[in-house]
Amino acid sequence: MTDLGVAVVVEDDEDVRNLVEAVLSQAGFEVHSAAGGREGVDVVRAREASVVTLDVGLPDIDGFEVLRRIRQFSDAYVVMLTARTDELDTLTAFHTGADDFLAKPFRPRELRARVGAMMRRPRQDLGAVEGSATDPGAAAAPAASQSPVLHHNGLDLNPETRSVSVDGVAVSLTRSEFDLLQALLKGAGAVRSKTELVRVVRGDYYRADAYISESDERAVEVHIGNLRRKLGEDPVQPRWLQTVRGVGYRLSPAR
């Protein structure tokens, strides 16, 4: 196995499948593939994939159902690929647990750049969260002022372990949800526009002058909605995340 781990390509179009396999192999992955959805789920499980590229229009079950099944046992990074340009597909993909969404035809360099950006932001270590939450001496450490952990209204976020807990209970977030939450915590109450938050989600793939589409901004809204649900946010009296209508989001005041 390579240092980057295993990538699985789930794609029924042979030409596209061969192209994606070549891109990921050149990037340094051990690549396996499947032409159907059910087979793809089995390959992801058997190979313990780190990254999955997943076509939406598969011949047996669609890509969204494949993603739902994968998310039952894997936190692999998933990039959805589709020839359809309906914004609903993008939102459905993020709601279901995708990390990124790319329309066909795509540029091989773009796919490689997006996968590379994801891999440079590893998912959180849930074991580290649970360990810190059950360690009675952790909160009383004398060097707490030097701790990298961000605290706000009972929420703790550790950038080093990429872990989050609320009132001592670990919360499992996707890479995008974690990055958005960290950006808002670091903002200390400053308003972050949706455009800024798109760049947070996309990482270093988007330059400062890159075009940000309405679909990109809607994807941020979906991520924020999922984040609120996982945190157990009260929509009437938000404990952590406030919506600034027409602009973006900011951290709720400290309590």
Side-chain angles (χ1 to χ4, degrees):
M1 186 182 296
T2 63
D3 290 341
L4 289 178
V6 172
V8 173
V9 180
V10 186
E11 171 65 60
D12 65 321
D13 185 307
E14 184 176 2
D15 291 336
V16 176
R17 187 168 65 246
N18 290 338
L19 172 61
V20 177
E21 287 175 353
V23 169
L24 295 176
S25 293
Q26 292 169 6
F29 290 95
E30 174 188 325
V31 183
H32 300 270
S33 62
R38 293 184 177 88
E39 180 189 4
V41 174
D42 292 339
V43 175
V44 171
R45 188 194 304 271
R47 298 294 180 177
E48 299 182 352
S50 302
V51 170
V52 180
T53 66
L54 179 56
D55 183 29
V56 172
L58 294 167
D60 49 357
I61 55 176
D62 70 26
F64 302 125
E65 177 59 26
V66 174
L67 179 55
R68 291 187 188 97
R69 297 184 186 189
I70 288 173
R71 281 289 174 251
Q72 292 176 5
F73 63 85
S74 173
D75 67 347
Y77 293 114
V78 177
V79 181
M80 302 289 285
L81 305 176
T82 182
R84 299 183 297 199
T85 58
D86 190 342
E87 183 181 356
L88 180 60
D89 283 349
T90 306
L91 302 180
T92 301
F94 288 127
H95 272 306
T96 311
D99 293 283
D100 210 340
F101 190 93
L102 199 56
K104 300 175 185 176
F106 58 85
R107 293 172 295 177
R109 288 184 179 180
E110 181 176 6
L111 174 61
R112 182 166 178 171
R114 293 197 181 194
V115 171
M118 289 191 297
M119 295 300 292
R120 284 190 289 275
R121 296 182 174 191
R123 294 199 188 281
Q124 69 224 59
D125 181 353
L126 290 181
V129 178
E130 292 162 0
S132 63
T134 55
D135 180 2
S145 61
Q146 300 178 1
S147 170
V149 178
L150 301 173
H151 307 278
H152 188 70
N153 292 343
L155 183 150
D156 299 323
L157 180 147
N158 189 324
E160 294 183 353
T161 60
R162 292 189 63 86
S163 58
V164 173
S165 64
V166 173
D167 299 329
V169 178
V171 178
S172 178
L173 303 179
T174 67
R175 174 193 62 85
S176 297
E177 292 161 2
F178 182 94
D179 291 341
L180 287 170
L181 181 59
Q182 181 178 6
L184 290 167
L185 286 168
K186 284 185 173 180
V191 178
R192 301 295 299 271
S193 70
K194 292 177 185 177
T195 297
E196 291 178 280
L197 295 176
V198 168
R199 295 193 174 95
V200 169
V201 171
R202 295 300 191 196
D204 56 8
Y205 172 72
Y206 273 16
R207 303 185 311 274
D209 60 347
Y211 171 71
I212 304 296
S213 68
E214 289 185 11
S215 179
D216 288 326
E217 294 187 351
R218 286 285 293 129
V220 166
E221 293 175 9
V222 173
H223 286 312
I224 292 289
N226 290 339
L227 179 57
R228 283 171 162 158
R229 175 177 53 80
K230 291 181 179 181
L231 294 176
E233 183 77 284
D234 182 347
V236 178
Q237 294 183 317
R239 187 174 172 185
W240 301 289
L241 307 176
Q242 286 188 336
T243 299
V244 181
R245 293 191 180 279
V247 182
Y249 305 92
R250 66 183 174 198
L251 204 62
S252 297
R255 296 180 180 179

